[in-house]
Amino acid sequence: MSDDAPGAAKSDRVTDFEQAEASEPFRRLKRTHRSFVFPLGVAFLVWYFAYVLLADYAHDFMATPVIGNINVGLLLGLGQFVTTFAITTWYVAFANRKLDPLADEIRKDLASTGHASRSAR
């Protein structure tokens, strides 16, 4: 009886992840991801904290009626949800267009002999 987990793939190759991480395609993937996520994350946090601070310290402004019982605070609060969904949609489109092709390139490289070495079993 084998000690291997059921359905475990038999492979005599071990991936050198440090070498893969040091590769140019992986660095490009990280750079591309970070150049999108960090600025957008900072922008969203500024928008979020501005909303929270306005809600806490600018009661008169937030209570300003726009249409009937709908005031500025309500519109800005709903804008938080809209922004969240817009960012998610934008990120998915960005990932599909820019990140996935880079990740596929890395995956193909790892599957080839480029970053794999024979195990010493």
Side-chain angles (χ1 to χ4, degrees), residues 10 12 22 26 51 54 65 101 119:
K10 301 279 185 182
D12 60 347
F26 188 82
Y51 171 72
L54 284 171
S119 68

Side-chain angles (χ1 to χ4, degrees), residues 42-88:
V42 168
F44 182 78
L45 285 174
V46 167
W47 157 231
Y48 173 74
F49 286 121
Y51 171 72
V52 171
L53 291 172
L54 284 171
D56 197 30
Y57 296 109
H59 297 280
D60 292 336
F61 172 71
M62 296 294 267
T64 303
V66 177
I67 301 171
N69 290 331
I70 298 174
N71 60 25
V72 171
L74 181 61
L75 292 178
L76 291 178
L78 290 174
Q80 292 286 317
F81 288 100
V82 170
T83 305
T84 301
F85 287 111
I87 288 172
T88 302

Side-chain angles (χ1 to χ4, degrees), residues 103-118:
D104 289 340
E105 178 183 340
I106 294 167
R107 191 175 301 112
K108 287 176 187 172
D109 190 36
L110 288 174
S112 72
T113 59
H115 293 294
S117 59
R118 295 277 174 198

